[in-house]
Amino acid sequence: MTRPAAGQPAGSAGTGAVCVLLASVLWGTTGTAATLAPAVGPLAIGAVAMGLGGLLQALTAAPRIAREAPGLRTRRGVVALGALSVAAYPPAFYTSMHLAGVAAGTVVSIGSAPLAAAVIERFVDKRPFTRRWTVGAALGLSGTALLCAAEATGSHSGPGARSAGATVLGVGLGLAAGFTYALYSWAAHRLISRGVSSGAAMGTVFGLGGLLLLPVLLLTGAPLLASWSNAGVGAYMALVPMFVGYVLFGWGLAHVPASTATTLSLLEPAVAAVLAVLVVGERLPAPGWAGIALVAACLAVLTMPSRSARATVPETAAPAQDAQPAAVATP
């Protein structure tokens, strides 16, 4: 888990975890929502979701972005890395779901992100792997592996079965999506931990990423205007999972490190798998449900209050520009 940094309320890490979990529930609906517009390709779905959702974040955060422009310019390398990762994530993620299935694509994309985020933090920020994170990640990744195996063996048999090549390509794209998800999560947390507000950090990174996705939307988005149902799916994706979800995620990153946030977001594939069964009609064998139980155990481990979280934290102040990360990992 994490403990608050000096000067932060003891419950702030818990608040951050709740924000990430709420965001994950919203993100878990995206795969099922995409199936309600079958004529719209995965590139268009990804571009409208992250593109318009990112631009909306930038518009709502415009006053903060303007006020904090000097700090953002100082860290333009981190901003650029985050924006490029935001632009790369949706084509990989939604194509992965299209090729490998809603549950498998989501599981691989989100399930691989915690390891990628932890490796990035270990080598860039010198943040050690903690015992609690290791246990939680082991449970969560075991659960996502079971979910993925269950999807591969039980969900697509018969005439609608996917080819092995398509499934392998979908899994590969899912790994790419997980890496880019970890990168933009790290970039946003890096900006926030260096004194940029969560609104300005998320608005800048996602706004620039949205701009990069506009050409993709213009080239592939015509089916979104072909019917009211397609347009409704596009509007839902941009406004709810992407705009509201990433606002919540930004609030969460202000209180927990990216490795913890990406591990907590393992709730998303569990939500996606359940919705794929209840709404899409995919079949989830018993190992898949066991995987969901392991993901739930992972979330319990990571969100359980620690003894240090209950202790009183001394009040110390630090200059905003040189502020330490909002959450510090503890064993």
Side-chain angles (χ1 to χ4, degrees):
M1 189 55 178
T2 58
R3 60 178 169 83
Q8 230 184 345
S12 62
T15 301
V18 170
C19 289
V20 174
L21 291 174
L22 289 174
S24 301
V25 172
L26 295 180
W27 295 338
T29 67
T30 58
T32 296
T35 65
L36 301 179
V40 182
L43 292 179
I45 286 289
V48 73
M50 294 286 271
L52 296 187
L55 291 176
L56 187 56
Q57 284 198 59
L59 287 174
T60 56
R64 292 183 182 180
I65 294 172
R67 286 196 302 268
E68 301 179 41
L72 291 165
R73 282 195 295 269
T74 300
R75 297 171 178 85
R76 54 185 173 274
V78 176
V79 170
L81 178 63
L84 289 171
S85 301
V86 166
Y89 172 76
F93 177 54
Y94 289 99
T95 305
S96 173
M97 287 195 296
H98 178 72
L99 293 174
V102 171
T106 307
V107 163
V108 173
S109 299
I110 307 304
S112 60
L115 287 180
V119 169
I120 292 168
E121 289 182 349
R122 179 67 182 88
F123 289 100
V124 178
D125 299 332
K126 310 303 181 187
R127 183 188 297 276
F129 301 133
T130 65
R131 287 194 294 272
R132 181 176 287 205
W133 179 87
T134 302
V135 171
L139 288 170
L141 292 172
S142 298
T144 56
L146 278 175
L147 269 172
C148 190
E151 169 74 9
T153 58
S155 296
H156 299 289
S157 58
R162 292 179 171 89
S163 69
T167 301
V168 169
L169 180 57
V171 169
L173 288 170
L175 292 173
F179 180 67
T180 54
Y181 172 36
L183 269 180
Y184 69 68
S185 299
W186 174 85
H189 179 74
R190 181 81 165 191
L191 292 171
I192 294 168
S193 68
R194 296 301 185 267
V196 179
S197 69
S198 64
M202 298 295 283
T204 302
V205 168
F206 279 81
L208 291 173
L211 284 176
L212 293 174
L213 285 167
L214 282 184
V216 179
L217 181 58
L218 291 174
L219 290 172
T220 63
L224 288 164
L225 304 177
S227 70
W228 284 107
S229 60
N230 289 354
V233 168
Y236 170 80
M237 299 281 275
L239 292 173
V240 180
M242 295 306 141
F243 175 63
V244 177
Y246 277 103
V247 168
L248 288 168
F249 190 64
W251 292 346
L253 284 174
H255 302 294
V256 298
S259 56
T260 300
T262 52
T263 306
L264 288 170
S265 66
L266 290 174
L267 178 61
E268 177 185 348
V271 172
V274 171
L275 289 177
V277 171
L278 297 178
V279 180
V280 181
E282 294 187 2
R283 191 170 39 127
L284 191 64
W289 295 107
I292 291 175
L294 286 175
V295 170
C298 156
L299 302 178
V301 167
L302 289 176
T303 57
M304 185 185 304
S306 62
R307 286 189 298 272
S308 60
R310 301 188 192 102
T312 301
V313 181
E315 293 289 338
T316 60
Q321 199 65 18
D322 298 317
Q324 293 300 310
V328 180
T330 59

